[in-house]
Amino acid sequence: MSYGRAFQVFRSERGALGVAALLVFANAAAGVIKPWPLALIIDSVLGTTPLPRWIGLVAGGLDRGETITALALMSLALHGVQALLQYGQHALVIRSGLRGLAAIRQKLFETLLRRSLLTHHKAALGDLIYRASWDVYAFQTFLQKGVFGALAACAPLGGMIWVMVRLNPGLSVTTLAVAPFLVVVMRHFGPRMTRLSDAAHRADSEITSVIQQRLSALLVVQAYGQEEREAASFSGRVSASSQARLAQHRYELQYLVLIGLGFGLGLSLILWVGAIQVAQGALSIGGLLVFLAYANQLFEPLNQLSYVGASLSDARAGMARVFELLDASDDSIQDSPTSRPIEIIRATSVSHSAPDGPRPEINADGNPSIHGLLTRPRRIEFENVGFSYRAGLPVLNGFSATLEPGKTVALIGPSGAGKTTLLHLIYRFLDPVSGRILVDGVDVRDLRLRDWRRLLAYVPQETILFPGSIRENIAYGRVEASQAEVESAARAAFAEGFIKRLPQGYDTVLGDGGARLSTGEMQRINLARAYLKNAPIVLLDEPTSALDQESAHRVIESLGRHAAGRTVVFVTHRESLLSIADQVIHVGR
């Protein structure tokens, strides 16, 4: 991973970062001047050295006490200027860092949303969450502690060294004698700190994955009495993560100890050589104090650079993990260069009876023309469709079938035969490995994806509800829907009765996963969401599998009413649901 690529994240902040850089250099200039009031007081006011000409012109009429006061106020002013410059610099850098963080986090989230179901099935969800939630902070660290930490450390170095050489070349050589040692330490420790930081990030990511997986399966864990075993297993992972972080920080501390010893050696040499020069009359006490002040200001940036090295190593590991995710092969389902748009000419109001719009036709330009959202349902044909989640293990192999338009079609067969996969292929969550799926004679891959999915509604086997109100959950696919349309869809799904019994009715806020509702109630809200979309093709995956007999009966009755005039395709193992099917297709034979 190149740091140049990381800079691109902050490209829109170039202006603010340029101003921040200027403030850094202005702050460095103030730092070069800051030690002189002290030296002037000691050597010129308390000692016998004449004041510099420019000071004499300003303070020529002042007595000794007034001159001391003026120089003290000058020192205070320099400290105040530095404080204001640092405030402005840090404020700009923090704001730019947060904006870059927001941008990369948004880009990563959009990338995850576009990835195919197949890729998500193979990935560890907890690791993805950790990268999107925590690894992205590496970009802010890179800018604030890395780039501007290095800039703030390096900006004063040139001026400091120039002034020190002018003041005392011998002491300057003594000061810089420790520089090669510091460079060797930084170059030796840097690469390994990056590797140890990366290992620590990965160990923390595994912990996030385990927490997410086990909490998602909490019912199973408790049902089989595996709390102690899971706790022991988690303890091992926590220990491994702690050891990885400990190894990282131990190595960083060794690095900082050596850097500190180098600085201590440099200051001791300056004090030793400088005291000898003072004793010999070659250097004034004020001059030695100024030189020590400069040496401290020189070593402080070098000390900051040592921390910059550790921060950059940690940031580099986190940024590399984010870029690894962004650079993964793009397997998202996309439009082909020749895909045809589906023209939506007229949208009808929500209805739960047979559509009355005219039959679709092909325009002169070859694009399908859809007269309203409720149109004549399409004939869906599978031609020798093959699909596999893993190489060499086909789920579907040469599957062929025709789903007649306006019919209710049941897909039955043993578990693992590929029934759910067929629904995903129709919706284009996945694309066939071989063969093709035709919609009124047109390959579904030749239709614009967004337009095609507007004509479909989907109810997955697992009920999916979002934190928020019931109304928001029903209207998730049509956020602009009116309250009347939401209520109409709820009535069609036999959900209105229990919704009105809730404390705030449609405005009742659900917890994560709809914890306040029964499984049957959650499934009926999922059905209402699909009904509200008012699509001509409805796909349902085991819509009654987790329901009791009464709830299942209500869902079946609801489906029977909603199916009129639509193509409804559902997967089921319940024979009672076959009563509403016009066509039954056996998958896996």
Side-chain angles (χ1 to χ4, degrees):
M1 187 217 76
S2 68
Y3 287 126
R5 185 179 181 188
F7 271 115
Q8 295 301 310
V9 173
F10 304 98
R11 184 169 50 190
S12 63
E13 298 297 310
R14 290 191 300 267
L17 295 178
V19 173
L22 291 176
L23 294 179
V24 169
F25 285 104
N27 182 52
V32 171
I33 304 171
K34 191 168 64 175
W36 283 103
L38 174 63
L40 292 173
I41 290 174
I42 292 174
D43 286 344
S44 300
V45 180
L46 301 178
T48 59
T49 304
L51 284 168
R53 182 179 301 175
W54 67 273
I55 290 288
L57 293 175
V58 175
L62 303 179
D63 60 25
R64 195 181 199 189
E66 291 171 339
T67 302
I68 291 175
T69 301
L71 290 172
L73 289 174
M74 181 188 297
S75 178
L76 175 62
L78 287 170
H79 281 83
V81 167
Q82 275 200 306
L84 290 174
L85 291 171
Q86 288 174 352
Y87 173 84
Q89 166 213 324
H90 289 307
L92 289 172
V93 173
I94 288 171
R95 187 184 68 175
S96 297
L98 290 173
R99 287 180 175 178
L101 170 64
I104 195 68
R105 180 172 277 166
Q106 181 69 26
K107 183 176 181 181
L108 186 59
F109 184 66
E110 291 175 359
T111 298
L112 293 176
L113 288 181
R114 288 193 301 267
R115 290 176 65 172
S116 74
L117 291 181
L118 187 59
T119 299
H120 279 299
H121 288 161
K122 295 177 181 178
L125 181 58
D127 179 62
L128 299 180
I129 293 172
Y130 187 88
R131 296 193 196 204
S133 301
W134 298 108
D135 280 336
V136 289
Y137 278 107
F139 290 89
Q140 190 178 14
T141 300
F142 163 72
L143 182 69
Q144 291 178 216
K145 297 183 178 180
V147 176
F148 272 84
L151 185 61
C154 294
L157 292 181
M160 294 290 180
I161 293 172
W162 181 79
V163 173
M164 290 168 71
V165 170
R166 292 290 301 272
L167 284 174
N168 194 312
L171 278 181
S172 300
V173 172
T174 302
T175 304
L176 297 176
V178 299
F181 169 76
L182 299 175
V183 171
V184 169
V185 171
M186 291 178 187
R187 289 181 64 87
H188 174 74
F189 278 77
R192 190 177 179 196
M193 283 195 295
T194 298
R195 292 194 298 271
L196 290 173
S197 180
D198 181 67
H201 277 280
R202 294 187 183 278
D204 288 344
S205 174
E206 287 184 10
I207 287 181
T208 305
S209 293
V210 171
I211 293 173
Q212 185 274 328
Q213 292 165 4
R214 297 309 183 268
L215 290 182
S216 297
L218 187 60
L219 287 176
V220 176
V221 172
Q222 293 181 352
Y224 287 89
Q226 296 300 305
E227 295 94 335
E228 292 185 7
R229 185 172 71 86
E230 291 293 351
S233 175
F234 186 71
S235 176
R237 292 180 182 272
V238 170
S239 177
S241 174
S242 298
Q243 290 300 317
R245 283 293 178 190
L246 184 61
Q248 175 196 2
H249 294 314
R250 184 187 294 124
Y251 203 67
E252 289 175 352
L253 289 173
Q254 294 172 8
Y255 167 71
L256 295 175
V257 165
L258 289 175
I259 293 293
L261 287 175
F263 294 150
L265 176 63
L267 288 172
S268 299
L269 287 174
I270 294 170
L271 185 60
W272 177 51
V273 175
I276 292 174
Q277 290 186 3
V278 171
Q280 294 174 346
L283 181 66
S284 68
I285 295 176
L288 177 59
L289 290 175
V290 168
F291 206 91
L292 284 171
Y294 276 132
N296 269 314
Q297 290 193 61
L298 180 68
F299 286 146
E300 179 57 30
L302 292 175
N303 187 35
Q304 291 177 15
L305 282 177
S306 68
Y307 286 97
V308 165
S311 296
L312 281 177
S313 296
D314 191 53
R316 184 185 182 93
M319 291 189 299
R321 283 167 49 81
V322 172
F323 283 132
E324 180 184 22
L325 202 55
L326 291 174
D327 293 340
S329 57
D330 187 2
D331 63 348
S332 58
I333 304 298
Q334 298 180 355
D335 290 322
S336 68
T338 59
S339 62
R340 313 181 198 177
I342 300 177
E343 181 184 358
I344 306 298
I345 296 177
R346 177 175 60 86
T348 63
S349 60
V350 65
S351 170
H352 302 288
S353 58
D356 56 4
R359 296 168 64 89
E361 58 188 25
I362 302 298
N363 292 337
D365 59 3
N367 295 332
S369 175
I370 310 300
H371 295 269
L373 291 180
L374 278 179
T375 65
R376 177 183 63 81
R378 306 309 186 89
R379 173 179 285 102
I380 301 173
E381 300 173 82
F382 295 91
E383 285 190 354
N384 298 314
V385 169
F387 184 82
S388 61
Y389 292 96
R390 288 179 292 177
L393 295 173
V395 176
L396 297 169
N397 189 10
F399 177 81
S400 296
T402 299
L403 312 184
E404 295 296 338
K407 302 295 183 181
T408 299
V409 181
L411 302 178
I412 64 173
S415 297
K419 303 182 297 297
T420 297
T421 300
L422 287 173
L423 297 185
H424 290 174
L425 290 170
I426 293 173
Y427 222 106
R428 288 201 70 202
F429 296 138
L430 306 168
D431 276 337
V433 174
S434 59
R436 58 180 185 162
I437 301 173
L438 303 177
V439 179
D440 284 353
V442 178
D443 193 319
V444 70
R445 288 170 291 197
D446 292 331
L447 299 174
R448 193 160 62 186
L449 180 63
R450 186 177 183 86
D451 293 348
W452 168 238
R453 286 181 177 172
R454 289 181 66 184
L455 304 181
L456 299 163
Y458 179 60
V459 179
Q461 180 176 358
E462 179 185 356
T463 55
I464 298 175
L465 297 179
F466 301 95
S469 69
I470 289 179
R471 196 200 77 81
E472 291 170 337
N473 270 275
I474 293 176
Y476 183 77
R478 279 187 62 204
V479 294
E480 77 285 356
S482 66
Q483 182 67 20
E485 290 176 312
V486 170
E487 293 177 4
S488 176
R491 282 193 297 272
F494 289 98
E496 187 175 51
F498 74 81
I499 292 175
K500 287 190 172 181
R501 289 195 296 270
L502 293 172
Q504 285 81 41
Y506 286 90
D507 292 323
T508 300
V509 176
L510 305 176
D512 284 341
R516 302 181 63 170
L517 303 177
S518 70
T519 302
E521 290 168 343
M522 288 191 291
Q523 184 67 309
R524 277 179 269 167
I525 288 180
N526 274 256
L527 284 171
R529 179 190 297 154
Y531 292 173
L532 181 62
K533 191 174 182 181
N534 205 25
I537 302 172
V538 182
L539 310 178
L540 306 103
D541 191 0
E542 296 279 9
T544 61
S545 62
L547 305 184
D548 56 48
Q549 186 172 357
E550 180 181 355
S551 295
H553 176 75
R554 286 184 174 274
V555 169
I556 291 171
E557 184 179 353
S558 167
L559 285 174
R561 291 183 179 181
H562 188 73
R566 292 173 172 84
T567 298
V568 176
V569 185
F570 63 88
V571 171
T572 186
H573 286 97
R574 281 201 174 188
E575 291 188 4
S576 58
L577 196 53
L578 299 180
S579 62
I580 65 171
D582 302 310
Q583 182 182 4
V584 177
I585 296 177
H586 294 265
V587 182
R589 283 188 172 181

